[in-house]
Amino acid sequence: LLVTCKVNAGGLLDLLSPSNDKKIIERKEPARTSGEAIDFSKSSTGTPGPDDPVEYGVDVSFPIQHKIASQNYEWLPHNLDPEHHTAPRSLKEAVIQPLGDRQKFYDDFLNGCVEYFGSKGQRCRSSEEGRIAMSLRQPQSMTNYTDVGYKKIRAPPEVMSLISEFWEANKERGTLETWGTANTYTNNWASPTYMVSVENNGLRGGGSRLKQKIWDAARDTIQEWTNQELTQCSLYGIRIYTEDSILSTHVDRLPLVSSAIINVAQDVDEPWPIEVYGHDGKATNVTMEPGDMVMYESHSVLHGRPFPLKGRYYANVFIHFEPVGHTLRHNRKAEEDSKPVDVHEKYRNDVARGVGGHEVDQAADSDLPPYIIPGSPEEANWRQRHPNNKRSVQRSFATATTGAHTAAQNGDLVGVKKAVIQDKSVVNKADSNGWTALHESARAGHKEIVKYLYESGADLNARTNNGKGGTAMYFAKKKYGDDHEVVSYLESLGALDVGPDL
């Protein structure tokens, strides 16, 4: 996807190069109580003021759970003098709008997408409908593991050391991100983003080993915060946002549940806070400096950056985990029991049977992931996406039968190439459930491996389960939606999105 860049003519290299005429304005985060948020409307520059906290909830800064932002302005007669003025019917249920005309801001954002994509522009509206529906459905349907839903700390030194070393070696070698047609999670058509992929073996220090080291180093901190044992789920590279970037407020697609954002570097004129909605429903704009880490329950905590980035760039890394179905206390208890219990083996067996495992199973025969509340709107959505009423099998300990399968799961491009060179037939070799290495890599989100396997002769539209299951495109979309580089790449090849036979 080609986008019009707002960065300097020199591209990413020039964007990240120091310059004497670039001055970073350092601002300290104003003291605020929990639930307060910075009011961006009360200064002529649009920057947050230290004395201007204001409290608000959803659909104020941006349409989040409904299609419009509140237009119930503080200065309207029924708000200034409610005894003598009645609110219009359209505003009776609307929350107060203290941030100015955010609806016009949103309309300009959405119309920019529609105009840019031309004949396919109406997909922008469809993308927004999906974001809003998920933002309404998921938060009310999730089991939460913390009281507030988010917490800002300094990143563990071992995590930051790995990321910083990789960034310094490769920060000028990011590639333009492909968001797909009419994706509205960012305003990528106007302000492109770049990715410095930790999986890229062509970058100094990059590759699956670095990715695993970052996961391993971050896991303990997030587990301690959630008191849940976690399994690694998704790890982006370092995303570089550019001037005027916007990130629509959203919740993450399942199974991204327990997550962290680490700010790696920035060159800004004013803070670019992440807006998070805690479990109390109130917004807080959290500012970050390099080395700061915000942990958040991304499946239920609405988060975004609906105020444009004022500066040259802002670089973050995103780390995601999924609860495996038991608490940290469970492992400690198992170790103390006189009868030896391998809780990991038990969990693997439970997942293979399609249940959550251990003490937080909703029932002995439950097939829902443990973080979805039974009877909730998300359960209905989950069952529609899982017609066989079974959780997605954790492929890391399931049925991979070749080195190519295992390497494809783990994002090990070198390992995949080695397996293919040794035996070209592994490209299309299926395991006992009909999964090929292409299915594995597509579901795991490894674009470079998907590309290599396709170019090595992989059957793009092969289906699992003896031809009755899904295609690689189906599994990629099922896990990541339409806004992932693997999905975009498969679409460019004309791959079919075919799900399992009912």
Side-chain angles (χ1 to χ4, degrees):
L1 175 66
L2 297 177
V3 296
T4 303
C5 298
K6 285 193 171 182
V7 298
N8 295 335
L12 183 60
L13 177 61
D14 192 46
L15 179 71
L16 300 177
S17 298
S19 172
N20 292 331
D21 61 355
K22 295 177 182 175
K23 180 180 180 181
I24 300 177
I25 301 175
E26 296 183 356
R27 302 177 61 95
K28 292 184 178 179
E29 182 180 1
R32 300 189 298 282
T33 61
S34 177
E36 291 183 330
I38 299 171
D39 183 348
F40 281 77
S41 66
K42 293 186 177 180
S43 72
S44 59
T45 63
T47 60
D51 299 321
D52 294 330
V54 60
E55 187 173 283
Y56 62 85
V58 297
D59 301 320
V60 173
S61 64
F62 209 72
I64 298 173
Q65 295 182 336
H66 299 87
K67 294 182 179 180
I68 60 173
S70 174
Q71 295 177 294
N72 190 18
Y73 305 113
E74 292 176 307
W75 46 263
L76 290 173
H78 65 272
N79 289 323
L80 293 175
D81 187 9
E83 292 185 6
H84 299 93
H85 298 276
T86 302
R89 181 180 300 177
S90 61
L91 297 180
K92 280 189 175 181
E93 302 297 324
V95 298
I96 296 294
Q97 174 56 272
L99 302 182
D101 193 351
R102 295 298 296 175
Q103 183 60 38
K104 182 181 184 304
F105 177 86
Y106 175 74
D107 289 341
D108 290 344
F109 161 83
L110 186 54
N111 289 334
C113 179
V114 172
E115 292 173 7
Y116 180 84
F117 288 103
S119 61
K120 297 181 179 180
Q122 291 307 312
R123 294 188 189 180
C124 300
R125 303 189 190 282
S126 298
S127 178
E128 280 297 274
E129 289 174 1
R131 176 186 65 84
I132 290 169
M134 191 164 69
S135 296
L136 179 62
R137 183 182 67 246
Q138 268 188 214
Q140 62 182 301
S141 302
M142 297 293 110
T143 295
N144 295 313
Y145 301 102
T146 69
D147 292 335
V148 178
Y150 63 92
K151 183 179 182 180
K152 185 174 94 169
I153 62 173
R154 292 295 290 176
E158 61 272 23
V159 178
M160 200 61 200
S161 176
L162 289 167
I163 296 171
S164 296
E165 183 177 349
F166 177 75
W167 167 255
E168 289 302 323
N170 301 288
K171 61 184 178 182
E172 297 173 352
R173 301 181 65 187
T175 57
L176 185 67
E177 273 197 285
T178 301
W179 285 88
T181 301
N183 183 290
T184 55
Y185 277 77
T186 68
N187 57 336
N188 53 89
W189 55 88
S191 297
T193 60
Y194 295 85
M195 178 62 67
V196 185
S197 174
V198 297
E199 295 179 312
N200 188 343
N201 290 296
L203 297 181
R204 187 180 305 170
S208 59
R209 289 185 179 179
L210 172 64
K211 182 177 181 179
Q212 191 62 54
K213 284 182 179 179
I214 295 173
W215 255 326
D216 292 343
R219 181 184 290 106
D220 287 348
T221 299
I222 302 177
Q223 283 188 156
E224 188 68 26
W225 177 58
T226 62
N227 193 37
Q228 295 293 308
E229 185 164 343
L230 305 175
T231 184
Q232 60 202 40
C233 195
S234 178
L235 171 57
Y236 301 170
I238 300 172
R239 173 174 294 148
I240 305 170
Y241 296 93
T242 58
E243 184 177 6
D244 289 331
S245 286
I246 296 165
L247 176 64
S248 300
T249 304
H250 64 286
V251 289
D252 288 349
R253 297 181 186 277
L254 302 178
L256 310 186
V257 174
S258 304
S259 305
I261 303 169
I262 297 176
N263 182 239
V264 181
Q266 56 181 266
D267 181 2
V268 297
D269 298 326
E270 61 189 47
W272 193 45
I274 179 170
E275 179 187 77
V276 292
Y277 291 76
H279 296 326
D280 61 359
K282 296 177 181 179
T284 298
N285 281 288
V286 180
T287 60
M288 300 179 70
E289 297 291 337
D292 283 343
M293 175 175 173
V294 173
M295 301 180 292
Y296 60 114
E297 299 194 74
S298 58
H299 67 322
S300 63
V301 169
L302 294 155
H303 55 281
R305 299 180 190 267
F307 305 100
L309 167 61
K310 300 303 179 186
R312 271 60 60 192
Y313 71 89
Y314 198 94
N316 287 336
V317 65
F318 303 84
I319 307 171
H320 299 281
F321 295 91
E322 178 186 17
V324 300
H326 55 82
T327 66
L328 294 179
R329 291 192 304 273
H330 184 96
N331 256 354
R332 288 193 286 267
K333 181 177 184 301
E335 292 172 358
E336 296 168 359
D337 287 344
S338 58
K339 181 180 179 180
V341 177
D342 186 340
V343 294
H344 298 287
E345 181 64 27
K346 181 180 185 301
Y347 176 67
R348 286 194 286 270
N349 293 335
D350 288 339
V351 171
R353 292 188 295 110
V355 301
H358 305 311
E359 75 275 22
V360 297
D361 283 352
Q362 287 94 352
D365 60 350
S366 174
D367 51 17
L368 277 176
Y371 41 82
I372 298 179
I373 298 173
S376 66
E378 184 57 33
E379 180 186 4
N381 180 68
W382 184 88
R383 294 195 183 284
Q384 184 178 16
R385 294 170 63 89
H386 298 75
N388 295 324
N389 290 331
K390 292 294 182 183
R391 292 180 62 187
S392 300
V393 176
Q394 297 285 333
R395 306 296 300 174
S396 60
F397 40 73
T399 56
T401 57
T402 71
H405 281 81
T406 303
Q409 293 171 20
N410 296 331
D412 182 3
L413 180 57
V414 173
V416 171
K417 289 181 177 180
K418 182 178 179 180
V420 172
I421 291 172
Q422 290 177 346
D423 181 3
K424 186 68 179 290
S425 69
V426 300
V427 169
N428 285 306
K429 186 172 183 178
D431 64 17
S432 58
N433 288 330
W435 282 66
T436 66
L438 183 68
H439 292 113
E440 300 285 6
S441 57
R443 185 179 184 276
H446 304 308
K447 177 189 171 185
E448 292 305 314
I449 295 178
V450 170
K451 183 174 184 289
Y452 173 77
L453 289 169
Y454 170 71
E455 293 175 348
S456 299
D459 183 350
L460 201 61
N461 297 314
R463 298 176 65 183
T464 61
N465 192 24
N466 295 318
K468 298 178 181 178
T471 59
M473 172 70 92
Y474 167 78
F475 289 109
K477 278 192 172 183
K478 179 181 173 183
K479 184 167 183 179
Y480 302 106
D482 296 329
D483 54 348
H484 192 273
E485 61 179 359
V486 168
V487 174
S488 298
Y489 175 69
L490 290 172
E491 283 181 340
S492 73
L493 300 175
L496 300 179
D497 178 7
V498 180
D501 294 342
L502 299 180

